[in-house]
Amino acid sequence: MRETPKSDMPGNTGKPAAAPTQAGARQDRLKAALKANMGRRKAQARARTGDVPDEKNKG
């Protein structure tokens, strides 16, 4: 069986460690944007159906 060098492995681009940090920051931004978008869409859906949250159903 032949041993493959690490540089030939998929996903190993040989870039410096700063790349995952940038990717992580991008993921964080995307996650925050998705959460905000979902909040807006849910608010729009509630407004369309006329549902108004009352104190009993809160939380």
Side-chain angles (χ1 to χ4, degrees), residues 22-32:
Q22 291 173 345
R26 180 176 185 268
Q27 288 295 324
D28 290 343
R29 287 193 309 272
L30 289 173
K31 190 183 299 185

Side-chain angles (χ1 to χ4, degrees), residues 2-35:
R2 192 178 132 219
E3 184 86 21
T4 58
K6 290 187 178 188
S7 62
D8 291 344
M9 295 182 111
N12 188 1
T13 59
K15 291 185 180 180
T21 308
Q22 291 173 345
R26 180 176 185 268
Q27 288 295 324
D28 290 343
R29 287 193 309 272
L30 289 173
K31 190 183 299 185
L34 178 62
K35 188 173 181 177

Side-chain angles (χ1 to χ4, degrees), residues 36-51:
N37 188 25
M38 290 301 293
R40 283 192 302 270
R41 292 182 69 165
K42 285 182 179 184
Q44 289 173 349
R46 282 191 298 267
R48 278 194 301 270
T49 60
D51 289 344

